[in-house]
Amino acid sequence: MLKEMKERAGLYEKHTFWDTQPVLKPSEGKEKALEGAVETKQLKDIRADEYPLPETYEWTTIDITKDAELNEVYDFLKEHYVGDSGGNYRFRYTPNFLRWALTPPDYYKDWILGVRIKANKKLVGFISGIPLKVSVKGVPIVMAEIDFLCVHAKLRTKRLAPVLIKEVTRRINQKGLWQAIYTAGKCIPTPMAYTRYYYRAINYKKLLDIDFLSIPPKSSLKRQLRIFKLPEDTPVPGFRKMAKKDAPQVHVLLNEYLKKFVIHPELSLAEVKHMIIPRDNIVDSYVVEDEEKNITDVISIYFVPCSVLKHKSIKEYKVGLCNMLGSLYLLLRQHQDSIAESGEDGDTAGGQTGGRRSLLPQHHGKSHILRSTFVSKA
């Protein structure tokens, strides 16, 4: 609680960039938090050319469908993207995961961009956006979901991040879209939602070895292994892996569930097929089917490997992440089953409170992911 209070206190400090942006300022108080657009613009107000960069840098639009450019983004994020504050772990999204996350239906190629050094064409900055229809108090708004903002570790005093944000905003505005959603691991003006992440160890010994967790006081390794041991069977009748034929029912189920939230995504059938139908080593989804062949529950997990930076022999651990709106037990059992099926070693499963990953902050050991996955209980 004290940590959260300290983090939120930072909202009231001076923000060189965000104080210039069309977002609600914390100091303005709730009386100014009126509904509607904070700022109104027209296409004629949007500059036609790219924002200027220092002489030694240049803009680049990344074609994520080309393997060479995809691998370049993968290598850059692997070295410079989000890690924990102690420098022990870092997300390592796979190339296939990145392509899946950044190419949903009707995506815009020019919303995937970066900054290069002119002399050697080295990528030193990256940001991406994808379109998303979001219902805000019953009003559908097509907006952008921003992700993977990353600047080379040695250039973070050069203020490239604000320029990346402004440039992707310009490109989004050129499509006639004026709102965006994004997440941050720290409080910036001004949050519309918070979340708390919960992790459930699957490979407890490995996570202990890499200092991801520790044995609680007055406990022992033997006791912890007994606590975290998973049962052999899934005691849920009708629980099975999702198939392509399930997409229409899952589409209806998810959208009906999400209507319970004041702000929620409105998913098309094409988006459900892209986001939730299982893909090897990227996303796994399971459903519960009743005796009449009706799908009553769906649970979906995406997988993110994380680099272990300071261990002599262990170089990665794997996380399965899910929005926890159904049963965490189902998540854990399903994750164990999916790992067994794929022949891989899963190490931890994560979940969060809230209804939409893309609206929520991130912490080490999980993705910002990229695209969201959902669990619903009809």
Side-chain angles (χ1 to χ4, degrees):
M1 181 64 71
L2 181 59
K3 181 180 178 181
E4 291 181 1
M5 291 176 64
K6 289 181 178 179
E7 289 176 347
R8 298 185 189 190
L11 288 172
Y12 297 90
E13 299 173 355
K14 182 179 179 180
H15 296 83
T16 304
F17 174 67
W18 290 107
D19 287 347
T20 68
Q21 300 303 298
V23 296
L24 184 68
K25 310 301 186 293
S27 58
E28 291 175 338
K30 292 184 178 180
E31 65 275 5
K32 288 194 176 181
L34 303 176
E35 294 184 21
V38 177
E39 180 182 72
T40 302
K41 286 186 177 181
Q42 298 179 359
L43 288 175
K44 63 182 180 64
D45 301 321
I46 307 305
R47 61 184 296 155
D49 55 334
E50 296 167 336
Y51 278 92
L53 288 168
E55 182 60 30
T56 54
Y57 303 106
E58 64 184 10
W59 290 108
T60 180
T61 298
I62 307 292
D63 188 347
I64 211 73
T65 65
K66 294 182 178 179
D67 288 345
E69 296 186 46
L70 171 65
N71 288 329
E72 188 178 15
V73 172
Y74 162 72
D75 288 335
F76 176 65
L77 295 178
K78 179 181 67 174
E79 297 298 327
H80 301 287
Y81 198 50
V82 178
D84 71 307
S85 58
N88 297 301
Y89 322 106
R90 184 180 297 122
F91 299 138
R92 197 181 77 247
Y93 299 102
T94 64
N96 286 338
F97 186 103
L98 291 169
R99 180 173 284 160
W100 166 72
L102 297 177
T103 58
D106 303 320
Y107 80 100
Y108 296 104
K109 289 186 177 182
D110 63 334
W111 289 11
I112 306 171
L113 61 144
V115 172
R116 297 186 187 277
I117 297 175
K118 281 185 180 180
N120 58 16
K121 305 302 180 183
K122 182 178 180 180
L123 189 66
V124 294
F126 182 77
I127 195 169
S128 67
I130 55 174
L132 182 70
K133 182 185 285 188
V134 177
S135 175
V136 181
K137 291 192 173 181
V139 180
I141 302 172
V142 179
M143 57 180 70
E145 178 182 350
I146 304 300
D147 212 340
F148 296 115
L149 171 60
C150 184
V151 173
H152 193 288
K154 293 183 178 180
L155 298 176
R156 290 178 183 170
T157 61
K158 305 297 183 181
R159 299 201 59 75
L160 284 179
V163 185
L164 282 162
I165 294 170
K166 290 200 296 186
E167 177 58 23
V168 76
T169 299
R170 184 188 70 85
R171 298 185 184 200
I172 292 165
N173 290 163
Q174 285 184 325
K175 299 294 191 291
L177 305 180
W178 310 102
Q179 284 79 34
I181 56 176
Y182 47 89
T183 66
K186 62 180 181 179
C187 286
I188 55 177
T190 295
M192 56 174 287
Y194 292 90
T195 189
R196 181 185 298 276
Y197 280 91
Y198 296 92
Y199 291 93
R200 203 290 188 185
I202 293 175
N203 190 336
Y204 193 93
K205 285 185 177 180
K206 180 176 180 178
L207 296 173
L208 185 65
D209 195 12
I210 63 174
D211 293 326
F212 184 89
L213 47 75
S214 59
I215 298 175
K218 299 182 180 180
S219 187
S220 65
L221 176 59
K222 183 177 180 180
R223 182 172 185 270
Q224 293 302 110
L225 292 176
R226 185 173 68 253
I227 291 171
F228 285 94
K229 183 179 179 180
L230 289 167
E232 295 298 325
D233 299 309
T234 304
V236 180
F239 184 76
R240 63 169 175 80
K241 194 163 186 175
M242 180 182 173
K244 291 181 179 179
K245 66 181 178 65
D246 300 322
Q249 281 199 66
V250 169
H251 174 233
V252 173
L253 177 65
L254 287 174
N255 278 324
E256 282 300 312
Y257 177 80
L258 292 169
K259 287 178 182 178
K260 299 177 181 180
F261 299 93
V262 175
I263 301 175
H264 64 269
E266 292 187 358
L267 302 173
S268 67
L269 178 58
E271 286 177 312
V272 168
K273 289 179 178 179
H274 178 84
M275 292 162 51
I276 298 180
I277 289 177
R279 296 169 183 251
D280 288 346
N281 300 314
I282 297 175
V283 60
D284 256 351
S285 300
Y286 283 67
V287 297
V288 176
E289 186 178 63
D290 66 18
E291 294 180 355
E292 286 74 40
K293 303 299 181 181
N294 298 312
I295 293 175
T296 61
D297 300 79
V298 58
I299 184 167
S300 186
I301 293 93
Y302 58 91
F303 301 102
V304 182
C306 296
S307 297
V308 179
L309 305 177
K310 295 182 179 180
H311 197 277
K312 292 182 179 180
S313 59
I314 300 175
K315 300 304 178 184
E316 76 166 29
Y317 67 95
K318 299 176 184 178
V319 186
L321 287 140
C322 178
N323 282 17
M324 193 171 62
L325 296 175
S327 168
L328 182 59
Y329 177 84
L330 292 183
L331 164 64
L332 298 172
R333 183 66 247 182
Q334 179 273 333
H335 181 69
Q336 186 187 51
D337 289 345
S338 66
I339 294 301
E341 290 174 7
S342 64
E344 296 182 347
D345 294 323
D347 303 310
T348 182
Q352 68 245 19
T353 57
R356 168 73 174 164
R357 181 209 57 78
S358 64
L359 299 177
L360 307 173
Q362 306 165 19
H363 299 282
H364 78 78
K366 83 146 296 264
S367 135
H368 169 7
I369 197 119
L370 288 240
R371 291 297 288 177
S372 304
T373 50
F374 303 90
V375 182
S376 75
K377 177 70 176 178

